[in-house]
Amino acid sequence: MKISVGKQRPAHFRPAYPEEFDLFSHLELCAAVPQALFAITTWKENGLPNLCPHAWTCFHGDRTAFFAVMGNLYQHTHTYRNIVRDGCFCINFLSLKHYEAMMRAIRENGDDTDEFAAAGLTHEPCEEINAPAIRESFLTMECRLLEARDLSGAGVAAMVTGEVVRVCVEEGFARGEKDRFSEDGFLLLAPGPQNMESGAPSPTAIGNFTPRLWD
């Protein structure tokens, strides 16, 4: 038997932290779909580098183009404003050893903060867009903005679509799956699944991706 939940949040659902249900739909926590975790990098209006950890994204395209579709990008953030103003952004994939560095950029993100310096990471110029890239990342995607859309109309979060115009891969990761699917490769963010019977929250998890390759 399946447990079904609709748009109305059940009264017995308890948040993991006070503002959780102000930020996220309870349906996301019912689904709890793991997502790739990466860092979006842009320039602030004052010329300082900005770094924003993010997930909630899919990557797809066809023979003519490749796209990054980022959901749940909050409209009040530096990152959203920078993307809309400059029309571009860089996506950077970092290994687990840089996870705490990314989290420091969340805690130290003032207008006058160099968020790369706060995180202890190094910025370098992108090749085709006006955005900084993270030198320590093993994979970067340089993206030009195609669309920013407020799906809910609530003025809270937006879906941002960018066309990937260049992919840069560290040499050791460019030869196949071995390094990308290791402890030095892709990070996954797994939202803490809500216990749909008791309403109790679960902790969010961070981990590596260990695939079973198709035969």
Side-chain angles (χ1 to χ4, degrees), residues 17 24 28-29 32-38 53-57 72 96 99 102-103 106 186-193 203-209:
Y17 47 90
F24 300 101
E28 177 176 344
L29 303 172
V33 179
Q35 308 275 344
L37 178 64
F38 54 86
H54 194 69
W56 308 283
T57 297
N72 209 41
L96 183 59
Y99 173 72
M102 286 195 285
M103 295 304 103
I106 293 178
F186 291 111
L187 280 177
L188 285 181
L189 180 148
T204 293
I206 302 294
N208 295 114
F209 176 51

Side-chain angles (χ1 to χ4, degrees), residues 9 15 91 98 105 109 121 128 152 157 177 188 197-198:
R9 174 163 51 93
I91 289 175
H98 296 299
N109 65 353
L121 297 169
E128 296 200 33
S152 72
E177 81 287 346
L188 285 181
E197 289 187 321
S198 72

